[in-house]
Amino acid sequence: MLRRHPVVLFLLLTVLFSLPFYLLLNLSFANAEGRRLYVTGLMWSPGLAAMVTCLLARIPLANLGWRWPGGRVARLSYLIPIGYGLFAYGIIWATGLGRLSTEIYLPYARRVIGLPDASDGTVIAMMLALQLSMGFILNVAMALGEEIGWRGLLGPRLARRFGFGAGALFTGLIWAVWHYPVLFWLNFPGDPPKPFAMACFTVMVIGLSFVYAWLRESTGSVWTAAILHGSHNAVISLVFTLLTVETGPITVYAVDEFGFMLAITSVLMALWCWRHRARQAGTRAAAPVAAS
């Protein structure tokens, strides 16, 4: 019976495969490397669920969107998070909601780089270069597991069933809720109150879901989503947030994935994708008339 309902099968398998990693992340006292391994397992649970669903429901694995989108679109996918990060944090820095500073980032970079005799400028430059290259590659490898599930299988099927907007909305909501077992139980020192943080996170994820859906639909490639996701994870918290210091109690409400600035930015991006897609559809519809 479930073979005739691949979305239901996929969601059940995603929960099944994710459950051990939810428990490990919330019950274990593992060090940072251990937690990274657990997070990697969790992020690959939707991908594994999608591939098992394809096998059980006799869906060709090619439907997951393995084709390479091309260099231009790949570069765009990489640059989009850097662009909306600069937009959101630029407003934070310009308005005094937070201050651009290396006082948090520099000690973090020195601890990671491990070159005690290097100058401050060298350490910062090396850390940024590594995060934007090697860090990005590692994050794409992890994000691909999620995206095989969310944008490889789930998103396109929901879009075919409910339309682009509702499909992106439902995919984003499921994507956000999938994070809740970890985010609700874990405590993040310095973050705003949990209900506010989760509301901002949910809005951000749903808004970004429209960007992912637009790229997936435009290219037929799941790699666009994996690259965008990997770039986001490489730069938002580990670069932009760490380069921002508090100017008052409002800062924690504005920054990172749990603050209001990225939530607002993601909604603006969703609206742009919606309107741009509508204009593209209108242009395609008008093309035969213009040619006649």
Side-chain angles (χ1 to χ4, degrees):
M1 178 181 175
L2 286 176
R3 288 180 177 179
R4 297 196 297 271
H5 302 282
V7 169
V8 176
L9 177 59
F10 163 73
L11 294 176
L12 290 174
L13 288 173
T14 297
V15 172
L16 177 65
F17 295 153
S18 299
L19 186 59
F21 299 105
Y22 287 147
L23 295 175
L24 287 167
L25 281 165
N26 286 288
L27 298 177
S28 172
F29 293 95
N31 61 20
E33 180 58 26
R35 295 183 72 82
R36 185 175 181 86
L37 293 172
Y38 295 155
V39 168
T40 301
L42 179 62
M43 293 178 72
W44 267 90
S45 296
L48 178 60
M51 289 186 281
V52 173
T53 297
C54 286
L55 294 175
L56 294 178
R58 297 187 177 91
I59 299 170
L61 288 173
N63 286 8
L64 297 177
W66 299 108
R67 64 183 294 272
W68 183 247
R72 185 183 67 82
V73 178
R75 288 191 295 272
L76 175 65
S77 302
Y78 173 79
L79 292 171
I80 284 174
I82 298 174
Y84 64 68
L86 286 170
F87 176 82
Y89 281 82
I91 292 175
I92 290 171
W93 300 330
T95 59
L97 290 170
R99 180 166 56 86
L100 174 62
S101 173
T102 61
E103 64 183 73
I104 297 173
Y105 188 78
L106 180 59
Y108 160 75
R110 282 200 174 280
R111 188 167 62 251
V112 173
I113 295 296
L115 297 173
D117 296 328
S119 67
D120 291 351
T122 299
V123 168
I124 291 172
M126 285 184 61
M127 190 65 200
L128 285 172
L130 288 170
Q131 286 177 308
L132 293 171
S133 56
M134 299 301 102
F136 161 71
I137 292 171
L138 289 173
N139 276 288
V140 169
M142 297 168 68
L144 179 62
E146 280 193 50
E147 296 308 329
I148 291 171
W150 307 139
R151 255 60 62 169
L153 187 142
L154 181 63
R157 289 186 172 272
L158 291 181
R160 285 197 295 271
R161 176 67 177 83
F162 300 107
F164 174 83
L169 174 65
F170 294 150
T171 302
L173 184 59
I174 292 168
W175 185 23
V177 170
W178 176 79
H179 288 84
Y180 287 1
V182 173
L183 299 181
F184 266 127
W185 293 343
L186 289 179
N187 291 315
F188 296 95
D191 277 355
K194 190 71 71 176
F196 178 88
M198 296 311 300
C200 289
F201 177 82
T202 302
V203 171
M204 181 200 73
V205 168
I206 292 174
L208 290 178
S209 179
F210 282 78
V211 183
Y212 285 67
W214 171 61
L215 286 170
R216 173 68 165 96
E217 181 187 70
S218 300
T219 65
S221 174
V222 74
W223 285 104
T224 56
I227 293 169
L228 198 157
H229 195 157
S231 180
H232 174 102
N233 287 354
V235 303
I236 295 300
S237 294
L238 295 177
V239 176
F240 287 113
T241 299
L242 289 181
L243 284 171
T244 305
V245 298
E246 293 185 16
T247 55
I250 191 66
T251 302
V252 295
Y253 288 87
V255 300
D256 209 50
E257 295 179 325
F258 306 100
F260 62 79
M261 272 309 307
L262 279 176
I264 293 171
T265 301
S266 71
V267 170
L268 294 175
M269 294 175 64
L271 292 172
W272 183 89
C273 287
W274 182 285
R275 294 187 63 182
H276 183 71
R277 182 180 179 276
R279 286 197 299 270
Q280 286 181 321
T283 300
R284 287 194 296 266
V289 176
S292 60

